[in-house]
Each structure stands twice: as structure tokens, then as C-alpha cells.
Amino acid sequence: METQSKNNETNPELPILKKGIFYAILDDPVFLIMEDRTKRGLTVLERSIDEKYGVNSDKGMIYDMDGIGRKMGIRWFFPKDIYGFDKVLEHATEMEQRYKKIREETCPDY
């Protein structure tokens, strides 16, 4: 996986193919990278296979009020030779809709 971005933050040199309120899809030479924009400042603790998408993902830790940590995906690396832009956009749109629903339920006046 040496072709993946070497740093833990999104490489600002990678072109943004599509950007929503809660996501960005970046164009890497080998991958379409779907980034959860709500977790941009989260430190990457590991890169492992994501159970939902079956691709490598950067994961960080978020702690609840009781101090219990949960690993959360920050960005997902979809190989271009397997996934087309439309499929990645479908996943990103699903994420966007989920976050919008949460925002409507928790901040109805937004």
C-alpha cells in the first residue's frame, strides 16, 4: 500500500472530484478516496480493512462522555481498478444523508 498518501491528513495536492457538506472524494493516482469531513482533525491511529466497504480505511478514536473509545473511519481508499466514481459517490451520498438526518434530529432549527 505504498502508493497511498504518506501523511495522515488529506493531501492538499490531490484534486477534489466532488465535495459535499460532510464528505469529499479525492482523486489519487491509484484510489478514489472518500473522506468524512466531520473527522478531518482526528488523528489516524490505524489503517485497516473497513467491514462495511471492504476497503482500506484510516481510522481514529472518538471517546464518549464515559471515556469509552470507538474506532471511527476517517477516509476510505477505493481502488480505481475495482470501484468507479459512481459507486464511491453512492457511498458518499449515503454518508451525507445519514449526517443530515442526525443534524435535523439534534438541531431542528439549523
Side-chain angles (χ1 to χ4, degrees), residues 32-50:
L32 291 171
I33 302 170
M34 180 178 77
E35 181 179 58
D36 182 336
R37 294 183 66 212
T38 68
K39 303 203 178 64
R40 284 180 296 190
L42 199 58
T43 301
V44 175
L45 298 178
E46 72 177 36
R47 181 169 289 169
S48 61
I49 299 293
D50 182 80

Side-chain angles (χ1 to χ4, degrees), residues 65-90:
M65 291 178 57
D66 296 323
I68 299 170
R70 303 181 97 206
K71 287 183 184 174
M72 305 296 283
I74 300 169
R75 63 189 63 83
W76 295 262
F77 299 88
F78 293 91
K80 286 182 174 179
D81 60 348
I82 299 171
Y83 293 90
F85 176 78
D86 290 340
K87 186 64 177 172
V88 177
L89 180 59
E90 183 180 310

Side-chain angles (χ1 to χ4, degrees), residues 2-15:
E2 291 298 317
T3 57
Q4 292 178 4
S5 176
K6 303 262 189 255
N7 59 17
N8 287 341
E9 294 300 317
T10 300
N11 185 341
E13 298 171 15
L14 291 178

